[in-house]
Amino acid sequence: MESADYVHLLRLNEQASREAPERYRQRVLRFAVLGYVAVFLFGLLALAGLLWLGWRWQHGARLAGWMIWGGLACLGLLWATLQGLRVPFRLPEGQPVAAHEAPELFAGLARIRAKVQGPALHQVLITDDFNAAIVQQPMLLGLWHRNFLLLGWPLLAALEPKRMFAVVAHEYGHLRGDHGKLSAWIYRTRMSWARLSQRYEESSSALGWLMAGFVAWYFPRFNAMSFALARQDEYEADRVSARLFGAELAAHTLQEVALKAQWFGSDFWRLWWRRARTDEAASTGPCVGPYAGMNKLLQQPLDAAWQREALQREFKRLAGFDDTHPVLKDRLASLGQTAGLPRLSAMHSLRLLGEARARIALALDAAWWQANHADWRAHGERLRALNEEAQALSQRAHELSAAEWLRWADAVESLSDKDPTPWLERALLLAPEDAHALRRLARRHAPSGDVRVGAWLETLYQRHEALAWAAADLAQTWVDACGARDAPLPPEQRRLWRERLERSRALEEAAWASFQALMPWEQGIPLQLDEAQLRELRGITLREADLRGAWVGEQALDVKPARRHFTLWLQCRPGLSDEALDDLAQRVYDAAELPGRARVVVLGRHVPADKLEQARELTQLLQRR
C-alpha cells in the first residue's frame, strides 16, 4: 500500500471512531477475525489440495507433472500457514530477577495484577535503557502469549517506587482483563501481525507466495483500521494507572519520565563521558561504570528553567501516524490534568531489586565497559589534548586568531559546563562571517529568544548557501521563542523566515533526491578527509562485529545548495537478515560525522556486491578475513 493511501485510510478510520465508535469497533473486530479465518482457510485449502491429489493417485491417476507441481504448491502453502501460526519472536535481552531476590518488587507486581485482572508475568528482566515495557511472546498468531516485564535500570534510578509502579500499571493496562478486552486484544494482535509481516518481507520463499501476498495486503489495512483503537488503548492504559494510583500522580509521573528521559539522553552521558579525561584507571580495565552510581545523578534537582524548556519541547510535539503513543499534552488532557512543573521523585526504585541489585549493576557495567572500553580510552586522550591546548591558548589570548578562539570554545564546551559564548563572540569579532561561529551562537541562543540571533541567522542565510536550510530551521525556533517571551517579531519578518524555510527545504530535498539517484559507484573523485576524520570512521566500523569490510568514497555532484557528497560502503558477514543489515547501516550512518551529505550502502542489500569494483577513488576503512 502506498504511503498516501495508508494515511488516507487511517484518517478515515479515525473519523469513523469519533462519529460512530461502536460501529467502528465492530468493524475492526470483524476485520481482525478475517485475518485469522483467512490463515486457517489457507491451511485447509492446502490440506484439501494434498488430500485430493492423494485421492486421485490412489484411484489410478497417472502421476503427471501438474500433480507434482500442484503438490509442491500445496505443501508450500501449508508450510507457510503453519509458519504463520508461529509468529516470529526474538526473546528480549536483560538481566533476570527472581521473586526470592526482590520480594518487594514482586509483591507490588502481584497487587497490580490482581487489581487489573491481568495475566501472569513469566519473567522480569532489567535492561540498560530508559524504558519499561511488557513484551509478549505470541503463540498461534497471537491467540496465546508468554509475558515478559522489562524494567530499565535508568528508569528505576530516576523514579520513586510509587511512580515506578504507576508506569508498570500503564503497561499492565494493555493486558487488562476487567474491561476493554477488545482494545487490549487488538493491541496485541497488531503486534503479532507486524512481526508476521516482517517475516514475510525478509523471506524469499516462492512456495509461500500466496500467504505472503495475503499478509502484504492485509497487514497495512488492518494496521490503519485499528490505529485509532490502538491509540485509544494507550489512553485507557493511562486511565488504569490513574485508577490505581490517582490521576495527579499519574500525570506527574508522565511529566517526570518525559523530563528525565531528555536529561538522561543528553546531559547524563555528556557528564559521564567527561570523566574520561581524569579517570585514567577506568580506561585500563573494568571498574565502576555508569550504572552503579546512576541514581545519584538521576536524583539530583533539575533546574526549573531547563524543565520549562524541556516541557515546551514535549508540548510542541505533534501526534504522528508512525506511533500509536499519544503525545504528552494529549495524555495529560485525557487524565483531566494540566501541565506544570511536576514534583520530582524524592528517591529511586533500585532498592526494589533487593539482593539482585548488586549483581545486575555489576553485569550492566561490565557489558558497558566491554562495548565502550576502546572509545573511553580514545575519548580520554582527546579530552586531555583539548585541555592542554586550552591551557596553551589561554597563555596568549591577546594574539589568537578566529580559528584558535573557536578551538578554545570547543575545549571549553567539552571540558566543562561553561557557556562558550564569550569565546565564540571573540571569534566572530575577528571573522564576522565565520559559519561555525554564527551557527553555534544561533543554536545556543535561539531557544531563549535572544535578540542577537536575528542578525547571526541573517548573515548565515545570506553568506553560506550550504547552511541556508539550517539557518531557516533555527529561525523558526527563534521566532517561536520570541513569541513565548511576549516579544513577537513583526508579521513580515515571521513570514519572510517561513518562506525561506520552505524554499531552502525544497532545494535540500531536490539535492538529496539527486544524490540518491546518483549510483554510488559513479562520478567518484579523490577523497579529501584528514587523518583524524578517517581515524574516527575506522573506529566506528571497528565497533561493528558483523562488518567484514568498509570503504568510504566522495562523489562529484552539481546541485544547489552545493555540498560535498560521501558514500560509505559496508560488507557484512553472511547470514544477517535484511532488518539486521538495515539496522547496522543506520547505526553507522548515525555515528559517522562527515562534512557534507552522506549515505550508507550495504553490499548485497542496497547495491550488488560486484559494483564495488566499479567504484573509483575509494579509501578502505576496514578489512577482516
Side-chain angles (χ1 to χ4, degrees), residues 43-322:
L44 289 175
L45 177 63
L47 189 59
L50 288 172
L51 291 174
W52 181 75
L53 289 172
W55 180 84
R56 288 286 307 269
W57 183 59
Q58 286 290 330
H59 286 75
R62 192 164 60 90
L63 193 62
W66 70 268
M67 295 180 69
I68 296 174
W69 286 110
L72 288 175
C74 290
L75 281 173
L77 180 57
L78 182 60
W79 175 250
T81 303
L82 293 174
Q83 286 290 93
L85 294 175
R86 182 180 175 272
V87 181
F89 181 77
R90 184 181 301 167
L91 287 173
E93 297 180 357
Q95 297 297 319
V97 56
H100 70 272
E101 295 178 296
E104 187 178 355
L105 171 63
F106 279 82
L109 297 178
R111 289 194 296 270
I112 292 173
R113 180 194 173 193
K115 293 179 179 179
V116 176
Q117 300 178 32
L121 295 172
H122 296 91
Q123 193 170 32
V124 177
L125 300 172
I126 307 303
T127 68
D128 60 0
D129 56 353
F130 197 102
N131 195 19
I134 289 182
V135 176
Q136 295 191 293
Q137 181 180 11
M139 311 286 189
L140 289 179
L141 202 60
L143 294 175
W144 295 275
H145 296 84
R146 292 182 69 236
N147 303 308
F148 299 83
L149 173 62
L150 277 57
L151 297 176
W153 179 281
L155 194 63
L156 287 162
L159 299 180
E160 61 191 24
K162 197 168 186 179
R163 295 190 181 190
M164 189 68 228
F165 283 126
V167 172
V168 173
H170 168 91
E171 297 301 328
Y172 231 134
H174 293 304
L175 315 181
R176 60 195 179 277
D178 56 345
H179 63 296
K181 291 183 180 180
L182 173 62
S183 296
W185 179 69
I186 292 295
Y187 185 91
R188 297 192 294 271
T189 301
R190 282 168 57 89
M191 300 300 103
S192 298
W193 279 105
R195 293 190 181 102
L196 192 62
S197 175
Q198 185 177 26
R199 162 185 282 175
Y200 284 116
E201 284 179 1
E202 296 175 356
S203 173
S204 58
S205 171
L207 294 177
W209 65 270
L210 185 60
M211 181 69 178
F214 172 75
V215 173
W217 174 86
Y218 177 81
F219 172 64
R221 288 162 176 79
F222 176 64
N223 202 42
M225 182 178 290
S226 59
F227 185 92
L229 196 61
R231 181 162 284 176
Q232 290 171 11
D233 192 70
E234 293 291 345
Y235 290 124
E236 183 59 33
D238 280 343
R239 285 190 280 271
V240 169
S241 179
R243 178 163 56 84
L244 269 59
F245 294 95
E248 183 178 5
L249 184 137
H252 281 199
T253 301
L254 288 172
Q255 292 180 90
E256 183 174 11
V257 168
L259 287 171
K260 288 190 173 177
Q262 284 193 45
W263 191 89
F264 177 75
S266 56
D267 291 46
F268 173 83
W269 290 112
R270 177 176 55 82
L271 294 173
W272 172 256
W273 279 92
R274 188 180 289 165
R275 290 182 52 187
R277 179 172 70 90
T278 56
D279 198 354
E280 296 187 33
S283 67
T284 61
C287 65
V288 175
Y291 292 94
M294 187 174 285
N295 56 289
K296 294 178 182 178
L297 285 174
L298 284 171
Q299 287 296 314
Q300 68 180 8
L302 295 177
D303 179 70
W306 183 92
Q307 289 188 58
R308 281 191 286 270
E309 289 182 10
L311 285 176
Q312 284 178 2
R313 286 192 292 271
E314 284 291 329
F315 294 146
K316 286 179 182 178
R317 289 179 55 210
L318 300 176
F321 298 135
D322 57 347

Side-chain angles (χ1 to χ4, degrees), residues 300-372:
Q300 68 180 8
L302 295 177
D303 179 70
W306 183 92
Q307 289 188 58
R308 281 191 286 270
E309 289 182 10
L311 285 176
Q312 284 178 2
R313 286 192 292 271
E314 284 291 329
F315 294 146
K316 286 179 182 178
R317 289 179 55 210
L318 300 176
F321 298 135
D322 57 347
D323 187 1
T324 59
H325 285 85
V327 293
L328 179 59
K329 62 181 179 182
D330 292 340
R331 297 177 75 174
L332 293 177
S334 77
L335 293 174
Q337 299 293 307
T338 57
L341 296 186
R343 179 190 67 80
L344 300 180
S345 295
M347 64 182 73
H348 60 82
S349 296
L350 292 174
R351 64 178 180 84
L352 294 176
L353 300 178
E355 297 174 2
R357 177 179 174 181
R359 169 180 62 81
I360 294 173
L362 187 64
L364 292 174
D365 281 338
W368 192 89
W369 282 118
Q370 183 178 5
N372 296 280

Side-chain angles (χ1 to χ4, degrees), residues 15-55:
Q15 183 177 352
S17 72
R18 291 191 296 267
E19 294 177 351
E22 190 57 36
R23 188 185 308 164
Y24 161 75
R25 291 165 68 87
Q26 291 300 318
R27 190 167 74 249
V28 173
L29 174 61
R30 288 193 296 271
F31 202 70
V33 171
L34 170 66
Y36 289 103
V37 170
V39 171
F40 284 111
L41 285 178
F42 282 138
L44 289 175
L45 177 63
L47 189 59
L50 288 172
L51 291 174
W52 181 75
L53 289 172
W55 180 84

Side-chain angles (χ1 to χ4, degrees), residues 370-551:
Q370 183 178 5
N372 296 280
H373 171 64
D375 288 343
W376 181 270
R377 182 170 54 192
H379 189 62
E381 292 173 357
R382 174 180 172 271
L383 291 183
R384 286 187 285 275
L386 277 174
N387 186 53
E388 291 175 5
E389 184 178 18
Q391 291 179 356
L393 291 172
S394 68
Q395 298 300 316
R396 53 187 191 88
H398 60 285
E399 59 181 21
L400 297 182
S401 66
E404 289 172 321
W405 279 106
L406 287 172
R407 289 207 304 273
W408 196 357
D410 288 338
V412 167
E413 198 164 21
S414 298
L415 298 167
S416 70
D417 284 331
K418 289 182 180 178
D419 183 355
T421 295
W423 288 265
L424 294 171
E425 288 181 324
R426 290 294 296 269
L428 199 62
L429 190 63
L430 294 171
E433 295 182 2
D434 185 273
H436 189 55
L438 288 166
R439 188 177 185 182
R440 287 184 62 184
L441 282 167
R443 186 187 297 162
R444 174 168 284 272
H445 295 283
S448 65
D450 193 313
V451 295
R452 299 172 295 175
V453 171
W456 295 333
L457 290 176
E458 188 67 33
T459 304
L460 193 64
Y461 184 87
Q462 296 289 355
R463 301 296 184 185
H464 300 280
E465 178 189 62
L467 294 174
W469 185 21
D473 192 45
L474 272 173
Q476 298 307 303
T477 301
W478 177 60
V479 168
D480 293 343
C482 290
R485 59 192 290 265
D486 296 326
L489 299 178
E492 59 273 13
Q493 192 172 5
R494 297 199 300 270
R495 184 169 56 254
L496 173 64
W497 278 115
R498 187 166 57 251
E499 291 171 353
R500 285 175 169 178
L501 179 60
E502 292 173 358
R503 188 162 55 248
S504 58
R505 180 183 289 139
L507 287 172
E508 286 289 344
E509 290 174 352
W512 179 255
S514 298
F515 183 33
Q516 290 292 84
L518 177 67
M519 294 297 101
W521 55 88
E522 296 177 348
Q523 298 177 208
I525 60 175
L527 182 69
Q528 298 182 37
L529 291 178
D530 60 36
E531 189 54 40
Q533 291 169 315
L534 288 173
R535 187 167 56 249
E536 179 68 21
L537 289 175
R538 289 191 179 102
I540 292 168
T541 56
L542 278 169
R543 291 197 293 271
E544 297 294 343
D546 290 325
L547 280 183
R548 292 295 173 265
W551 299 262

